[in-house]
Amino acid sequence: MPGPEGGAQATTLRSSDSVHDAAMTGSSSERAWFSPARCHIDLAAIAGNFARLGPAHRLMPVIKSDAYGHGLVRVARTLSAVGAASFAVGQAQEGLALRRVGLGQQIVTLLPTLDAESLDACRSQDIVLAVGDAAQLERCAAHGDVSHPLAIALQCETGMGRLGFGPQDVPQLVERLRSLPGLKPVLALSHLACADMPEEDDFSAAQARTFAAMCQGLRSAFPGMKRSLANSAGLIQGLGQECEWHRPGLSLYGGNPLAAAEGKPGKKRQVDGLRWAMSVCAPIVAVRRLEAGQSVSYGRTYTARREMTLAVVGVGYASGLARGLSNRSQMLVNGRRAPQVGRVCMGLTMLDVSDVGPVVAGDTAWILGGPVGAADKPVTAQELADILGTIPYEILCLFGGMVERTWQS
Ligand SMILES: *Cc1c(COP(=O)(O)O)cnc(C)c1O
């Protein structure tokens, strides 16, 4: 197995580098960006959040889905430089991309791998494959080899109702594994369904108990197996503390999964000092005066009640700014909050900038984050998620996937 890369490589990141991760997109030259919006990724914030979440040797950062839109390879290199010893990815392709850039950490896939080519590649690259049912076990067994066993992570179903063996499957699973020396079970993992909901504490505790019992059965047969239960919310709440690995995702990127639970009863611990790593801005492309009575954008959902100054911003729903935010959100201009007015269009969005001081075309509007005046707060992914009735994960994935990114270390 190759060793983790040295820290030197991680310091070669350039803030001016706006090239999409080639490992994720293939040929970035074929993609013409259609929006002037920019997604800025603060890699130092991710490294700082990682350090706040616990000792590096217990954390398996979850960098699936292009690291929640923050860039798979950039994030992995950043975390490697601050001591990450393991990564959780979605599919095998993501793990293979990390190997191609020389990262030697333990890599665990969370999605089932079906095709023969990927199964073989994972074996040769020492990528740990998730196995959650008998069919997947046999699929892996067909690609294992006694002289070079295929490492697997056994998914335990404890209440998520998605992937994994149930408690009743353990005896048979152990028996089958004993007859398959080409497979090497290195990890047992389970996933919490509602660790972010204090009112569901009993359910989470039951999941933890079920997992512990399953681990006991599995580890008495395979003592080398490690355990992993907690996502960000579980980790913050102290669930699965006996496990060797925790799997934070959202909190690495600055989100607090317990934000929605604030003010509700139930035990809640917090991690202080998490910083959002993603900010998104777009240029104001035009500024105009609006008379009282003039309407703005499709459907005439907004009408000026007074004479006002309107800024037209070069971002829209094709760049991840959900149309459901129409007339309900704000952006920062000149460090102050300007209300968004009228329907969000595909590539344009309008702001009422009457009260934020002088504004000219070429000025910047901040959709997420950005420099802020004393009286205002930056807009967060949590705020947009709350307006839309969704979760910050979705906001980050959308902007990260749809807007040209730059990284700063
Ligand atoms: C996405 C995911 C995580 C990370 O969850 P967060 O809530 O982002 O911390 C952990 N484990 C599994 C199996 C996941 O799919």
Side-chain angles (χ1 to χ4, degrees), residues 62 64 68 110 162 189 191 231-233 247-251 393:
V62 179
K64 67 189 180 195
Y68 293 40
L110 297 174
R162 197 169 70 173
L189 59 86
H191 195 31
N231 53 3
S232 295
R247 303 189 309 276
L250 184 73
S251 51
Y393 304 70

Side-chain angles (χ1 to χ4, degrees), residues 117-178:
E117 201 183 324
S118 299
L119 289 164
D120 280 332
C122 286
R123 184 173 59 99
S124 74
Q125 295 294 319
D126 287 308
I127 289 167
V128 183
L129 288 163
V131 174
D133 59 36
Q136 181 66 29
L137 187 71
E138 298 308 324
R139 219 174 271 133
C140 288
H143 294 263
D145 181 334
V146 187
S147 64
H148 187 166
L150 201 155
I152 57 172
L154 295 172
Q155 290 168 305
C156 299
E157 161 54 24
T158 61
M160 186 66 186
R162 197 169 70 173
L163 299 169
F165 296 97
Q168 72 287 352
D169 301 324
V170 171
Q172 217 186 335
L173 173 60
V174 165
E175 197 183 298
R176 184 71 184 123
L177 281 168
R178 283 201 164 115

Side-chain angles (χ1 to χ4, degrees), residues 35-40 279-283 313-315 364-370 403:
S35 163
R38 287 287 179 284
C39 193
H40 303 274
S279 48
V280 179
C281 70
V313 185
V315 65
T364 300
W366 290 90
I367 296 133
L368 287 183
V403 176

Side-chain angles (χ1 to χ4, degrees), residues 13-42:
L13 297 176
R14 283 160 293 139
S15 56
S16 61
D17 191 348
S18 62
V19 177
H20 225 61
D21 283 348
M24 287 302 299
T25 55
S27 54
S28 54
S29 60
E30 280 178 26
R31 182 161 194 179
W33 290 97
F34 45 77
S35 163
R38 287 287 179 284
C39 193
H40 303 274
I41 309 296
D42 179 353

Side-chain angles (χ1 to χ4, degrees), residues 112-293:
T113 304
L114 303 185
D115 67 294
E117 201 183 324
S118 299
L119 289 164
D120 280 332
C122 286
R123 184 173 59 99
S124 74
Q125 295 294 319
D126 287 308
I127 289 167
V128 183
L129 288 163
V131 174
D133 59 36
Q136 181 66 29
L137 187 71
E138 298 308 324
R139 219 174 271 133
C140 288
H143 294 263
D145 181 334
V146 187
S147 64
H148 187 166
L150 201 155
I152 57 172
L154 295 172
Q155 290 168 305
C156 299
E157 161 54 24
T158 61
M160 186 66 186
R162 197 169 70 173
L163 299 169
F165 296 97
Q168 72 287 352
D169 301 324
V170 171
Q172 217 186 335
L173 173 60
V174 165
E175 197 183 298
R176 184 71 184 123
L177 281 168
R178 283 201 164 115
S179 70
L180 296 170
L183 295 184
K184 185 179 170 201
V186 297
L187 185 71
L189 59 86
S190 191
H191 195 31
L192 296 163
C194 39
D196 56 339
M197 302 165 72
E199 66 273 29
E200 294 284 358
D201 273 355
D202 290 348
F203 189 84
S204 300
Q207 281 200 271
R209 279 195 304 276
T210 305
F211 183 54
M214 291 182 73
C215 285
Q216 201 167 19
L218 292 167
R219 279 160 42 106
S220 60
F222 305 99
M225 277 183 84
K226 307 284 191 263
R227 298 160 290 182
S228 175
L229 175 64
N231 53 3
S232 295
L235 172 61
I236 293 167
Q237 304 259 37
L239 289 161
Q241 272 175 327
E242 69 287 0
C243 296
E244 289 76 13
W245 294 108
H246 306 307
R247 303 189 309 276
L250 184 73
S251 51
L252 282 175
Y253 311 104
N256 170 15
L258 296 160
E262 218 117 328
K264 289 192 195 165
K267 82 164 185 292
K268 282 191 303 287
R269 305 184 200 186
Q270 294 292 351
V271 213
D272 293 322
L274 295 180
R275 276 201 295 143
W276 290 102
M278 182 185 291
S279 48
V280 179
C281 70
I284 289 168
V285 294
V287 179
R288 66 185 306 114
R289 293 298 289 175
L290 221 58
E291 308 289 328

